[in-house]
Amino acid sequence: MAENKKPQWDIWKELEELRQRYKELAPMFARVGVAPEFAQMVNNLRLDLQRRPPSPPLNTGERDKDAQAQEEYKRAFASHYEEVFFKVENCLRMPWPIEAQYLVPGILEEVENQRRALVKNPLVSPPLEKLDALVEEYANLDKMDDRLDRNAIGVRRAQLTEVLGFPLIVRRQLAHPEWELLPPLASDAYRQLLNSKIENYRAAGWLQSKLFDKWYIALEFDAIWARLKRDANDRERIISQLKLNWPKLGNWAPDFPHADLVWYLLLVLLCIIALFAEWWWAAGGLLIWLQLSVIIEKHHAQLVIKRRQALLLECGRFKRIRDQISSGKFDPSTVLRQLKQFNFRHYVSEQGMQLLQSMSMVGGF
């Protein structure tokens, strides 16, 4: 048998692509030090720090005109540096690992020192080399000293990969079932796994977004849909749910192949032996038992058909709700009403119901 080889798949690369498509995810990645936009902002800021201020005006010999030009020059000179200082302060307000915050007070202090220097000497360019070095260090986690808690950033990155990566893993599993990344969607193992992932997602407040609210609810409803389809198409499962306990070998030895067929053939054989041996009471009892078995088996078959029809009807109704959620355009409050209307709430896990209720309270989906 040919061995199934899993193609190389980098979940972090796919998360990066996701970050580029959905801007609302940028702050989450910035908190683990992944922010190309922030790096570009810092590069532009450092260029501004190195940019020369406006040049002084040339004297024309006209006193009033020269005085006005000098005033405009003073304002432009002060505005040049104030704009740079504002950009520095704005840069510090951007999302970034909180472990790097120990550098912020020093940067702000240096900004204030340069402001005071400008007040003291309005037309003298302050030295910005130290501020430039501090900004460069703040933006480059690799250059920071041991005060940076790199383990905390690593833990946060692992949490981001686990929580935001799970829907991507499910999507990849559906596209490549042979990879066996996860248990089957209809299995109890997957249901327990999904419940734990939803709990982890709701516990990580910094990772919550409307996008992943929708995705995790979609995973919940996809799993329910898979279980409903399995139940509707699995005759043995329907029989076990109905608890049809007419005495037969299949009830006592469910793993025995063709147990019911062997059971009834054995009864027929015993009945024939009893007739040939002229054991009339035994033969009569066996005949009555076989006749009752035929009647009851027909009744059970009708019950199974009715139960399957009911499950298929539930599947059709639930599919309409699931399709709304899969489209990404749905109102959580409407979904909650539909679940109550069609008595589907017992299908949704406690974790999924809590997430759906929190979405309905926030609104704006």
Side-chain angles (χ1 to χ4, degrees), residues 18 22-23 39 43 57 67 80 92 167 192 244 251 294 341-342 350 354 356:
L18 200 66
Y22 300 98
K23 299 302 180 184
N43 289 336
H80 167 81
L92 298 179
Q192 294 174 3
L244 307 177
N251 294 336
V294 171
Q341 176 185 356
F342 296 114
E350 180 182 353
Q354 289 174 354
L356 193 57

Side-chain angles (χ1 to χ4, degrees), residues 127-364:
L128 300 180
E129 292 78 9
K130 182 179 179 181
L131 182 59
D132 181 38
L134 287 171
V135 169
E136 181 186 12
E137 182 182 6
Y138 178 74
N140 194 333
L141 300 179
D142 295 332
K143 291 187 177 181
M144 292 187 185
D145 54 31
D146 293 337
R147 288 178 292 176
L148 178 68
D149 190 351
R150 291 177 170 82
N151 289 333
I153 297 176
V155 169
R156 196 180 302 119
R157 176 168 173 148
Q159 186 182 28
L160 182 147
T161 305
E162 177 191 359
V163 172
L164 301 192
F166 182 72
L168 303 181
I169 294 175
V170 175
R171 185 172 65 184
R172 187 64 57 170
Q173 171 67 38
L174 293 176
H176 301 277
E178 70 278 4
W179 288 12
E180 298 181 355
L181 299 172
L182 297 169
L185 262 63
S187 66
D188 292 336
Y190 177 79
R191 184 175 190 176
Q192 294 174 3
L193 176 63
L194 179 58
N195 290 344
S196 67
K197 294 297 183 181
I198 294 177
E199 282 184 356
N200 294 341
Y201 171 68
R202 299 195 71 239
W206 66 282
L207 289 174
Q208 292 180 15
S209 67
K210 290 184 178 180
L211 174 66
F212 275 86
D213 283 350
K214 292 179 180 179
W215 282 11
Y216 269 102
I217 282 297
L219 293 182
E220 173 76 17
F221 278 70
D222 285 345
I224 297 172
W225 168 238
R227 291 195 296 271
L228 284 174
K229 287 196 299 182
R230 175 203 62 189
D231 292 348
N233 294 297
D234 189 342
R235 186 175 184 278
E236 296 302 323
R237 193 175 186 86
I238 294 175
I239 292 173
S240 65
Q241 290 174 348
L242 292 174
K243 298 180 180 179
L244 307 177
N245 294 323
W246 177 251
K248 56 184 179 179
L249 186 59
N251 294 336
W252 305 321
D255 297 330
F256 187 81
H258 308 294
D260 292 342
L261 178 61
V262 172
W263 172 254
Y264 289 119
L265 286 176
L266 181 61
L267 289 180
V268 170
L269 180 60
L270 290 175
C271 184
I272 293 174
I273 292 173
L275 287 173
F276 278 105
E278 298 184 355
W279 299 337
W280 308 120
W281 288 104
L286 287 170
L287 285 172
I288 294 172
W289 184 273
L290 286 170
Q291 185 62 34
L292 287 174
S293 296
V294 171
I295 296 172
I296 291 173
E297 287 292 344
K298 288 182 179 179
H299 176 65
H300 286 178
Q302 292 174 353
L303 291 178
V304 169
I305 292 172
K306 289 181 180 178
R307 177 58 181 164
R308 185 171 185 274
Q309 290 174 343
L311 287 173
L312 289 174
L313 181 61
E314 282 192 349
C315 282
R317 290 172 176 170
F318 191 85
K319 186 177 184 299
R320 287 194 289 272
I321 303 175
R322 177 250 189 185
D323 289 345
Q324 292 176 32
I325 294 174
S326 297
S327 70
K329 300 177 181 179
F330 65 95
D331 179 12
S333 300
T334 301
V335 172
L336 285 171
R337 287 196 299 271
Q338 290 174 331
L339 291 176
K340 184 176 181 180
Q341 176 185 356
F342 296 114
N343 195 27
F344 289 153
R345 297 188 68 166
H346 64 283
Y347 288 130
V348 184
S349 67
E350 180 182 353
Q351 293 80 3
M353 188 61 68
Q354 289 174 354
L355 178 56
L356 193 57
Q357 289 171 345
S358 65
M359 292 169 65
S360 68
M361 293 174 64
V362 173

